[in-house]
Amino acid sequence: FAGTWAQPSISVWTYGSTSRGNGNITTCNISGFFIFLGSLAIPWYNVSISIYYYLAVCHSWRELRMKKSFERYVHAVICPIAMLVAIIPFFMDLYNPYFFYCFVVTSPDRGSTAAQFVLQGIYMTSVILCTGVIICMMFRIKCHVTSTTRQSRKYDSSSYLTKVRKGTTTST
């Protein structure tokens, strides 16, 4: 649903260049809804993937446990919240042309600037928090893998042979 085709054909309130859209307010609302829904849900699902890998790598969770204890709740939380937040701009007339697509912005005759700032604040806050959580999860995984690698080196046969060649081991 991206592109100017969904924007109203006469669009004085388009940010950027003049609109060459073929749509109307309804097509702009639908396009804006799906773009905003994806913009919200994608970072949240990326967080869930990073938590999934953290649980699998650092806590040895298996697929069955993941499905029962994690995956079902992820979908039950992310989908309704993203849908609810993406539906709100419909009632506030905030899906308007923005550059080459429709998004949460005001226009001279539609929407409230305060509501736009609140919704964009929610969006930006969630993206920043998601980025932070993903970085933390990946760092935890990296530390766990590094620690496991160090612990397993003492049982590695190639490291034992290197010590024997250098004469740093004692024979039994």
Side-chain angles (χ1 to χ4, degrees):
F1 291 115
T4 58
W5 67 267
Q7 294 181 355
S9 54
I10 300 174
S11 185
V12 239
W13 23 272
T14 302
Y15 287 86
S17 61
T18 44
S19 174
R20 292 179 287 266
N22 297 322
N24 54 35
I25 296 297
T26 304
T27 58
C28 192
N29 281 338
I30 293 168
S31 171
F33 169 78
F34 284 111
I35 290 171
F36 194 49
L37 177 66
S39 298
L40 291 167
I42 289 170
W44 297 345
Y45 272 108
N46 281 326
V47 165
S48 71
I49 290 170
S50 67
I51 293 171
Y52 178 95
Y53 282 118
Y54 170 75
L55 293 172
V57 172
C58 299
H59 296 284
S60 302
W61 279 30
R62 300 288 178 237
E63 189 174 344
L64 184 61
R65 185 174 182 190
M66 250 350 147
K67 283 183 180 179
K68 286 183 178 179
S69 304
F70 178 71
E71 194 174 327
R72 129 181 1 167
Y73 298 109
V74 165
H75 297 300
V77 170
I78 292 176
C79 288
I81 291 174
M83 292 285 274
L84 177 68
V85 175
I87 286 173
I88 292 171
F90 270 127
F91 302 109
M92 298 180 165
D93 293 329
L94 281 173
Y95 287 127
N96 294 304
Y98 182 73
F99 289 101
F100 57 90
Y101 56 95
C102 295
F103 202 65
V104 179
V105 292
T106 58
S107 69
D109 58 345
R110 297 185 74 224
S112 156
T113 305
Q116 171 192 340
F117 288 136
V118 168
L119 284 167
Q120 287 179 344
I122 290 170
Y123 167 68
M124 288 307 296
T125 302
S126 75
V127 168
I128 291 167
L129 287 174
C130 287
T131 304
V133 170
I134 290 168
I135 289 169
C136 288
M137 290 295 109
M138 294 300 111
F139 182 74
R140 297 286 308 263
I141 292 170
K142 181 247 180 230
C143 290
H144 179 77
V145 170
T146 302
S147 171
T148 304
T149 303
R150 282 189 188 134
Q151 289 174 1
S152 66
R153 278 191 186 144
K154 60 183 161 186
Y155 302 108
D156 186 15
S157 63
S158 64
S159 65
Y160 176 76
L161 291 175
T162 304
K163 290 178 185 176
V164 168
R165 287 187 198 126
K166 291 182 180 178
T168 57
T169 62
T170 57
S171 56
T172 55

